[in-house]
Each structure stands twice: as C-alpha cells, then as structure tokens.
C-alpha cells in the first residue's frame, strides 16, 4: 500500500482556514493561528537555549518530523527520514533555500517499524523489520511514490528488529539483525546479533560481522574504509556495566563478543564461561553504560574548525533503565591510530540532570553539502541543524 500526504507549513494551514466565513471569523482564526505559531516558536526557542554547544556553534530547527529516526540525504538536498514507533517514511525539502524545510511528504504508511533509510543512484531504500523496500527514482515521484520489495527473509522479531541501513564503499547494502532478546545465545540461527550485507537488488545476502547485540548506526572510515559501528550493551547487570561500544570491522567474519563478552573484558554472567574474551575483536572505544549509542558519522566537511576534521560523532539516545539517566547527547570520539581514543561531549542539554527529565533524544547524525550537521530527535519530533559561525 502506497500513500502520499503533503504536510503544509503552519502558515499555509492558517491561510487555508481563514478563507471561509465572515471577515470577523477570518480575523479571529488568523489571530489564533498566529498566536499558536508564536507560542510554539517561543517554547522551542526556550528549549534550544538549554542546549550546550562549543563556542562558535549554533543550533536551530531544520524540520518537524514525528518520531524522526534514521536519515539519508540525496545529492540535491532531499532529506529522507524513517520511523520506529510510527509506520511512515518521510521526504523533507527546503524549497525556498532559507535553511529550513518547508515541504514534508509522507512517502508510505502502514509499514512495520520503517526505521532505516538509504539513498543510492536516485533510489530510496527502506528497512522494515523483515523486509527491504526500494522506491525507484524517488525524487521524481514524491507525489506518487511506489515501492518494490527487494528482500523479505529477515526475522520478524520486533525485539531489536528495527534496522539502520547504509550503502558501503563496496556498493553493497549493509543491514543489521539485532539479538531478539536482552541476552541469549542462538547458535542455530547465526543471522541474529549480526551485520549482514547484500547487493542492491537483494541478491547474495551474507553475514559480514557477528557478535553484535544491536547496532543502530554505522559508517565507514574516510581513508581506511573500515566499518565503524555503535553497539548497545546488554541490560540488567547494574547501572555501570557493561559499557556500550564503538567497534571497527576491518574484514568479513570478525566476532565482537556478544553474548559471551561485553566491553572487551567483561564476561557475561550467563554465557561468559562458554568463550574467552580474548577470542573476540576488542572495541575501538568503550562508551558510557546504557547510553544507547545510535547514529555515527565522521566529520569529513570543512565548515567546522580543523580540529573536528575526520573526528567521530555519535548520537546517544539515552538510558531507559538506569537509576540515574545518562546519555541524551552528541559525543565526539577521536579518530586516532595511537593510544586510547578520547570520548568527549559535543552537545548536551536534552536531559535535565536535576529533574531527571529529558525533552529530546538524539538518534542520527548526517552532514549536508554545506558541512552542517543534521541531528534527528525521535522524542521531540525534530531535526536540528548545527552550523559554525566562528
């Protein structure tokens, strides 16, 4: 089933609603819409003011997308956005060039957790729990989108079933399959806790990496082309263990420890006696415990100061079962071949630590053609734009 809905800006809706009735009604409706719009803007500006960025950086709202999750950007600037708790896929455009999206298309609805989106050669790929969809020549069909199913053999489990997808430098589509549990061992079903890859037409699906509990973000090193991916650590071992991980796959067939070993050194209380931690690839960098790292990107553009060039940015969605919340921020991990990579906060403020209340949860990070950073937030239903003014 394919549907389209063009969501008009608030100002356009106000004009449409004001076109009927008498003059007094028109005036009243217009004033009400203006007041609502102004109140919303004031509230959002107030929230944005709670965010902490390095000196010289600015953050603004680029688009409104309900439950905004994974993002993919076309060469012409169309932003595609997936959902997890909703059932839709969106296309967002800035048609007047003012730096803020003014058109928002619903490309499909009624889908099964369509979290992942990827764009290649004019085509949009969308990942449901068990299927990969392809919208051919999507930018010429935004008002009449259609899709075909290119692969439908992934497990149907919804526990860690939502998927992040991206095309690698080898031209293949990489698709993770999370563990269908908090902690379990499925030796008879190696597809679980893995990263797979396939040709764009869905053929030759194979397992690329194993022992990956739940990755919802990966990218490739701009020079080595190695695969860097975040992995969410298991729950119910306490507030401070295990750490979440940033890992690097340098070749096909590497195993990253789950469910036997966490963080490179911590044996699992249930399965740790079955394998030694030294049997597995160690993390590139252990992250905070339960921070839920998702989207990841190298900063390869030139807008930000030179010290940010080729550094690694990670969206931490935030903890859900820790006694004191942690995460809800954008972290930067250093890209280095020598020594322990650093792990520092780039943006925070979505979480009020004193109140233990979060108004936003970062999900994905990408770069536009100006070198600005776009960040999706599924709790606030927003996409932010981070730029550097110096």
């Amino acid at each position: 089933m394919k549907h389209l809905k063009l969501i008009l800006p608030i100002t356009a809706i106000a004009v449409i609603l004001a076109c009927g009735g008498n003059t007094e009604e028109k005036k009243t409706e217009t004033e009400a819409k203006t007041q609502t719009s102004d109140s919303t803007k004031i509230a959002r500006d107030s929230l944005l003011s709670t965010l902490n960025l390095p000196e010289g950086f600015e953050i603004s709202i680029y688009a409104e997308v309900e439950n905004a999750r994974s993002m993919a950007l076309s060469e012409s600037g169309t932003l595609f956005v997936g959902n997890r708790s909703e059932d839709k896929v969106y296309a967002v455009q800035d048609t007047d060039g003012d730096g803020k999206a003014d058109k928002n298309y619903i490309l499909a609805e009624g889908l099964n957790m369509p979290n992942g989106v990827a764009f290649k050669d004019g085509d949009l790929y969308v990942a449901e729990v068990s299927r990969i969809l392809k919208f051919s020549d999507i930018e010429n069909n935004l008002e009449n989108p259609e899709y075909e199913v290119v692969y439908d053999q992934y497990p149907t489990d919804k526990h860690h079933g939502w998927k992040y997808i991206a095309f690698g430098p080898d031209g293949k589509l990489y698709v993770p399959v999370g563990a269908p549990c908090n902690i379990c061992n499925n030796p008879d079903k190696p597809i679980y806790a893995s990263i797979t890859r396939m040709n764009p037409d869905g053929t030759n699906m194979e397992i690329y990496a194993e022992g990956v509990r739940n990755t919802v973000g990966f990218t490739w090193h701009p020079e080595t082309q190695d695969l860097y991916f975040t992995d969410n650590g298991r729950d119910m071992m306490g507030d401070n263990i295990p750490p979440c991980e940033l890992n690097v796959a340098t070749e096909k067939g590497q195993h990253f420890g789950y469910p036997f070993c966490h963080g490179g050194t911590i044996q699992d209380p249930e399965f740790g006696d079955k394998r030694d931690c030294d049997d597995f690839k160690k993390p590139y960098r252990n992250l905070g415990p339960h921070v839920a790292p998702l989207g990841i990107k190298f900063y390869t553009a030139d807008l930000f100061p030179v010290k940010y060039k080729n550094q690694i940015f990670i969206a931490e969605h935030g903890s859900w079962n820790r006694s004191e919340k942690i995460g809800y921020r954008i972290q930067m991990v250093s890209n280095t071949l020598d020594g322990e990579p650093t792990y520092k906060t780039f943006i925070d403020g979505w979480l009020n630590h004193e109140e233990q209340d979060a108004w936003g949860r970062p999900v994905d990070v990408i770069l536009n053609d100006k070198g600005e950073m776009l960040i999706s937030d599924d709790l606030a239903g927003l996409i932010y734009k981070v730029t550097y003014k110096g």
Side-chain angles (χ1 to χ4, degrees):
M1 183 168 63
K2 302 92 181 173
H3 301 280
L4 166 78
K5 188 185 296 179
L6 177 57
I7 301 176
L8 297 172
I10 292 174
T11 53
I13 295 173
V15 171
I16 292 171
L17 291 175
C19 287
N22 60 39
T23 303
E24 189 60 33
E25 288 174 342
K26 292 179 184 178
K27 180 180 178 182
T28 302
E29 290 174 353
T30 302
E31 287 176 349
K33 290 295 178 181
T34 301
Q35 289 169 2
T36 300
S37 179
D38 289 345
S39 298
T40 301
K41 183 179 186 301
I42 291 170
R44 287 179 174 165
D45 287 346
S46 178
L47 288 174
L48 287 180
S49 70
T50 68
L51 299 179
N52 306 302
L53 294 87
E55 185 176 355
F57 286 88
E58 295 181 359
I59 189 167
S60 60
I61 295 173
Y62 177 72
E64 301 175 36
V65 178
E66 187 174 3
N67 192 238
R69 293 282 297 186
S70 300
M71 300 181 290
L73 193 64
S74 75
E75 291 81 358
S76 63
T78 301
L79 181 67
F80 301 99
V81 189
N83 271 194
R84 181 188 133 183
S85 65
E86 300 295 328
D87 61 355
K88 301 173 182 63
V89 178
Y90 295 88
V92 175
Q93 292 180 324
D94 172 14
T95 62
D96 59 10
D98 67 350
K100 183 176 180 180
D102 51 73
K103 277 194 176 180
N104 189 337
Y105 298 88
I106 294 178
L107 302 179
E109 53 189 327
L111 301 180
N112 187 7
M113 303 175 88
N115 182 86
V117 289
F119 187 81
K120 180 177 174 60
D121 298 332
D123 301 330
L124 174 67
Y125 293 76
V126 175
E128 295 184 277
V129 170
S130 62
R131 306 191 302 175
I132 304 297
L133 315 178
K134 176 183 174 183
F135 294 75
S136 297
D137 192 24
I138 184 60
E139 290 184 286
N140 288 320
N141 292 283
L142 293 174
E143 296 187 4
N144 187 30
E146 295 185 355
Y147 64 77
E148 61 181 301
V149 178
V150 298
Y151 190 83
D152 64 358
Q153 298 300 306
Y154 283 115
T156 58
D157 309 77
K158 287 194 172 183
H159 194 126
H160 298 153
W162 56 92
K163 293 172 170 53
Y164 177 94
I165 58 174
F167 281 94
D170 55 6
K172 292 181 178 290
L173 182 65
Y174 284 69
V175 184
V177 180
C181 56
N182 173 38
I183 187 74
C184 56
N185 190 20
N186 297 282
D188 58 331
K189 296 180 179 179
I191 192 73
Y192 288 123
S194 74
I195 299 176
T196 71
R197 65 180 179 182
M198 65 178 71
N199 294 329
D201 63 0
T203 59
N204 295 329
M205 192 281 287
E206 61 179 352
I207 294 175
Y208 181 76
E210 302 174 84
V212 182
R213 180 178 178 270
N214 182 36
T215 179
V216 196
F218 43 82
T219 192
W220 286 264
H221 192 284
E223 297 173 354
T224 67
Q225 306 298 298
D226 292 334
L227 174 64
Y228 282 61
F229 64 91
T230 57
D231 195 8
N232 287 247
R234 66 156 291 179
D235 299 307
M236 311 308 175
M237 284 181 65
D239 274 0
N240 297 316
I241 58 172
C244 293
E245 301 172 6
L246 171 58
N247 290 295
V248 183
T250 56
E251 60 184 356
K252 177 186 172 183
Q254 294 175 321
H255 196 297
F256 292 86
Y258 178 87
F260 313 103
C261 182
H262 313 289
T265 60
I266 302 170
Q267 290 184 302
D268 186 79
E270 185 172 351
F271 298 106
D273 60 349
K274 301 184 185 328
R275 298 282 298 272
D276 191 279
C277 283
D278 289 336
D279 294 342
F280 310 114
K281 183 79 182 290
K282 304 295 183 184
Y284 174 80
R285 180 58 159 92
N286 282 334
L287 310 177
H290 309 294
V291 296
L294 302 184
I296 171 176
K297 282 291 180 295
F298 286 87
Y299 187 80
T300 54
D302 297 317
L303 177 64
F304 292 6
V306 66
K307 69 178 182 179
Y308 295 100
K309 184 77 172 186
N310 289 340
Q311 301 308 297
I312 306 164
F313 289 84
I314 298 174
E316 293 187 347
H317 197 225
S319 58
W320 65 270
N321 69 336
R322 197 172 182 271
S323 62
E324 184 173 338
K325 293 179 180 179
I326 189 175
Y328 306 89
R329 61 196 179 189
I330 303 296
Q331 292 290 98
M332 187 176 78
V333 176
S334 59
N335 171 21
T336 178
L337 297 177
D338 301 317
E340 177 77 358
T342 59
Y343 175 53
K344 299 178 180 179
T345 299
F346 180 63
I347 306 175
D348 67 2
W350 284 283
L351 170 67
N352 183 318
H353 289 276
E354 290 185 3
E355 300 292 334
Q356 282 291 283
D357 183 50
W359 64 266
R361 303 188 77 183
V363 176
D364 199 10
V365 289
I366 63 173
L367 306 178
N368 65 19
D369 60 356
K370 296 179 180 178
E372 298 165 327
M373 179 182 292
L374 300 180
I375 302 168
S376 60
D377 179 339
D378 63 350
L379 179 60
L382 298 173
I383 295 170
Y384 311 100
K385 181 177 69 176
V386 178
T387 190
Y388 181 74
K389 299 296 185 179

